[in-house]
């Protein structure tokens, strides 16, 4: 009786399907594996060009804040985009004013002699350097949005402009024409920079390699340093050219009778003091909390 029941159960047990023990049973070795990829959505060529241009010129979507707003709200947002002071000026208080006052006095103590030197690099009167150090930051306070950017003349631009305009007019004999041409050059430089900002062409700087920028800055630093030899050595008759050969010839030709040891002593002492102060600031000082 038990034997017959076992025989009856064996065929039923054999009818159950066997579970696969490995992946080889699912994908037989004789069939190749085919990876199916979905068909991409077909795009319009005009839409692709429009999307690419939008990504280049407007990656941050500057008009997104105007979407879904009323006419009065759009007008206020437009004024705030042109004059950011209308936005952050509402939260301005006395505490922020104290910090800005200290920062302004600190920067002014550095910018006043520095910008006078920049004006001399461009062979212009010292007051023009002071104008450039006062008017641009005052204008940027109303039109700018960054809290950390520095506005004003730089040594490289001053030197390049002075060296180019000297090829047309002598800054000593034709001072009026020289100054007028300098104003014209700075005016069109400002128009060009404003146009680049309006059309959002800042991405063009990406086409300049890092080696090109480093080489330009290094060459400009050497040129500026050579131009300081006139005041460092007290040379009266100095060359108007900015290349290294003309400058060094002018320096060594004035060596027998044109150098001033007083200027060299004061300049060397100031340079040594600045280098020592820079080294002291860079060295970390460890003060124990408990003695």
């Amino acid at each position: 009786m038990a034997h017959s029941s076992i025989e009856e159960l064996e065929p039923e047990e054999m009818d159950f399907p066997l579970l696969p023990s490995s992946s080889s049973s699912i994908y037989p070795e004789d069939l190749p594996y085919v990876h199916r990829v979905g068909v991409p959505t077909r795009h319009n060529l005009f839409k692709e060009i429009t999307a690419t241009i939008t990504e280049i010129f407007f990656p941050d979507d500057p008009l997104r804040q105007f979407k879904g707003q009323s006419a009065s709200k759009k007008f206020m947002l437009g004024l705030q985009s042109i004059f950011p002071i209308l936005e952050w000026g509402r939260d301005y208080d006395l505490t922020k004013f104290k910090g800005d006052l200290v920062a302004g006095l600190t920067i002014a103590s550095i910018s006043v002699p520095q910008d006078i030197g920049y004006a001399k690099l461009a062979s212009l009167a010292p007051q023009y350097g002071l104008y450039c150090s006062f008017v641009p930051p005052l204008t940027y306070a109303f039109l700018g949005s960054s809290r950390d950017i520095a506005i004003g003349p730089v040594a490289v631009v001053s030197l390049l402009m002075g060296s180019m305009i000297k090829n047309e007019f002598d800054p000593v004999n034709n001072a009026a024409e020289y100054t007028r041409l300098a104003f014209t050059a700075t005016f069109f430089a400002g128009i060009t920079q404003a146009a680049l900002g309006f059309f959002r062409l800042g991405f063009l700087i990406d086409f300049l390699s890092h080696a090109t920028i480093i080489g330009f800055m290094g060459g400009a630093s050497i040129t500026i340093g050579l131009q300081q030899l006139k005041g460092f050595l007290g040379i009266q008759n100095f060359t108007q050219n900015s290349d290294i050969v003309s400058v060094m010839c002018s320096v060594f030709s004035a060596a027998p009778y044109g150098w001033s040891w007083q200027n060299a002593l004061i300049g060397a002492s100031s340079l040594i003091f600045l280098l020592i102060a820079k080294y002291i600031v860079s060295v970390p000082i460890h003060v124990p909390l408990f003695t």
Side-chain angles (χ1 to χ4, degrees), residues 226 229 238-239 243-254 259:
L226 293 176
L229 292 177
F238 199 72
T239 179
D243 59 286
I244 185 173
V245 177
S246 301
V247 172
M248 297 309 297
C249 290
S250 179
V251 169
F252 288 110
S253 62
W259 288 9

Side-chain angles (χ1 to χ4, degrees), residues 38-43 48:
V39 179
T41 305
R42 182 175 298 178
H43 296 282
E48 291 183 359

Side-chain angles (χ1 to χ4, degrees), residues 9-178:
L9 292 175
E10 286 181 355
E12 296 179 0
E13 293 176 357
M14 296 297 294
D15 291 339
F16 287 107
L18 298 176
L19 296 176
S21 59
S22 64
S23 59
S24 60
S25 60
I26 300 177
Y27 303 104
E29 296 180 357
D30 54 347
L31 295 179
Y33 175 74
V34 178
H35 180 73
R36 294 184 178 181
V37 180
V39 179
T41 305
R42 182 175 298 178
H43 296 282
N44 190 358
L45 180 60
F46 178 75
K47 293 182 178 180
E48 291 183 359
I49 296 176
T50 304
T52 303
I53 295 176
T54 304
E55 184 179 359
I56 292 175
F57 290 96
F58 306 102
D60 53 348
D61 191 11
L63 301 179
R64 65 182 183 277
Q65 57 181 350
F66 294 91
K67 297 178 181 179
Q69 302 293 339
S70 60
S72 59
K73 184 65 175 179
K74 290 181 180 179
F75 178 75
M76 290 301 301
L77 291 176
L79 287 180
Q80 291 178 3
S81 62
I82 300 176
F83 303 100
I85 191 174
L86 298 177
E87 181 180 0
W88 58 263
R90 294 175 296 182
D91 300 331
Y92 199 77
D93 52 10
L94 185 59
T95 304
K96 296 180 180 179
F97 174 75
K98 292 179 180 178
D100 291 341
L101 180 61
V102 174
L105 294 176
T106 304
I107 296 176
S109 63
I110 301 174
S111 298
V112 169
Q114 178 177 276
D115 294 331
I116 292 176
Y118 290 162
K120 299 299 291 183
L121 284 177
S123 299
L124 293 172
Q127 61 266 24
Y128 296 124
L130 297 177
Y131 295 155
C132 294
S133 64
F134 174 74
V135 177
L138 184 63
T139 305
Y140 189 82
F142 295 91
L143 301 178
S145 58
S146 177
R147 299 175 55 188
D148 306 313
I149 194 170
I151 303 296
V154 292
V156 177
V157 177
S158 302
L159 181 62
L160 290 178
M161 186 183 69
S163 61
M164 289 188 298
I165 300 178
K166 286 177 183 178
N167 297 329
E168 303 296 333
F169 296 104
D170 188 3
V172 178
N173 300 326
N174 298 319
E177 290 80 1
Y178 183 90

Side-chain angles (χ1 to χ4, degrees), residues 184 220 233:
T184 305
L233 300 175

